[in-house]
Amino acid sequence: MKKLAAGNWKMNGTAAALAEVEALLAAHPAPACEMLLCPPATLIAQMAQAARGSALMVGGQDCHPKASGAHTGDISAAMLKDAGASHVILGHSERRADHGETDALVRAKAEAVIGAGLMAVVCIGETEAERDGGQTLTVIGGQLDGSVPAGATAATLVVAYEPVWAIGTGRTPTLTEIGEVHAFLRDRLRGLVGGEADGVRLLYGGSVKPSNAAEIFAVPHVDGALVGGASLKAADFGAIVAALSA
Ligand code: PEP
């Protein structure tokens, strides 16, 4: 399977930041891995326009489970698609924490995304207290079971393992810990989506940067990365793309 370098710009970037996209595409016109950037919704159409004809795919960071209606401030999967998105991140820990998103809501959103013909990037991950309490596999196993829609396939689902305590902190699990979780997730996915599990990309996320990317990508069952801070700069994200393409 092709590996996936996915970037999450979170609530960062205005039109001026699209210069980073131009720089990224100039440096990596034809990478061996897939490249995805998920800017704020306000930039999706412009970024999709800048990425036209290139290897870069564009995604959203969240959507509403319904297709349309009286939901002020929300955005539907069909609208993201119309703006040029091919993927939508769902259940990021910041949304689970800031907006109280449950596994059931994440699954409903993932169903909407897949129903609209887009790929769902479902995020799961344990808190530091849960890891310290030896609960990591129980927690992420439960999140996976609750968040992945029935009938998801390798063509509609990506799963991102992002330990909450590793996001934006500069800290990462050990390579052994990452390997343990990814092997566990592959196995657990088999129970959920059968043979499709082998083709579903399992991304690691949490303080991935140019200096640690290569060693993380060498861990079995790590099929790419979901990158926050380091996706904002073309040089940093490009170095991660290069590490995944090696
Ligand atoms: C993220 O929020 O998805 C993330 C992984 O952030 P960072 O790379 O900045 O830790």
Side-chain angles (χ1 to χ4, degrees):
M1 88 187 55
K2 265 201 175 182
K3 307 233 172 188
L4 173 62
N8 172 12
W9 279 15
K10 310 192 183 187
M11 198 170 72
N12 296 295
T14 54
L18 294 172
E20 296 297 325
V21 174
E22 281 170 33
L24 177 71
L25 292 175
H28 301 275
C33 68
E34 290 189 349
M35 269 190 316
L36 168 69
L37 281 177
C38 302
T42 48
L43 284 182
I44 289 176
Q46 287 173 81
M47 190 182 284
Q49 180 65 31
R52 239 176 126 155
S54 80
L56 179 66
M57 301 179 292
V58 180
Q61 299 175 11
D62 176 50
C63 71
H64 194 279
K66 295 253 168 64
S68 63
H71 303 287
T72 302
D74 278 312
I75 191 160
S76 73
M79 292 167 180
L80 293 171
K81 182 180 184 183
D82 185 54
S86 56
H87 294 63
V88 186
I89 297 171
L90 300 165
H92 189 281
S93 67
E94 287 152 16
R95 294 214 54 93
R96 289 179 186 263
D98 296 356
H99 300 274
E101 293 199 2
T102 61
D103 291 334
L105 180 59
V106 173
R107 171 155 46 195
K109 291 180 173 194
E111 283 168 356
V113 163
I114 293 169
L118 304 178
M119 281 193 90
V121 181
V122 172
C123 302
I124 56 175
E126 83 285 1
T127 63
E128 185 155 32
E130 288 162 348
R131 176 161 284 274
D132 290 346
Q135 294 299 301
T136 298
L137 299 184
T138 307
V139 168
I140 61 173
Q143 289 177 331
L144 193 75
D145 294 354
S147 306
V148 168
T153 68
T156 60
L157 175 71
V158 173
V159 174
Y161 166 55
E162 301 205 302
V164 179
W165 52 274
I167 292 178
T169 60
R171 297 163 58 207
T172 59
T174 66
L175 299 177
T176 306
E177 287 167 340
I178 293 173
E180 181 191 26
V181 168
H182 279 244
F184 169 83
L185 290 175
R186 183 78 68 204
D187 201 47
R188 188 92 164 205
L189 261 183
R190 282 197 192 101
L192 292 173
V193 300
E196 287 293 317
D198 290 322
V200 172
R201 259 82 60 86
L202 298 180
L203 310 184
Y204 168 77
S207 296
V208 175
K209 32 187 196 259
S211 58
N212 63 14
E215 61 182 20
I216 292 173
F217 298 153
V219 174
H221 300 295
V222 174
D223 308 314
L226 181 52
V227 183
S231 72
L232 293 167
K233 291 281 162 229
D236 289 344
F237 194 60
I240 291 166
V241 166
L244 260 183
S245 303

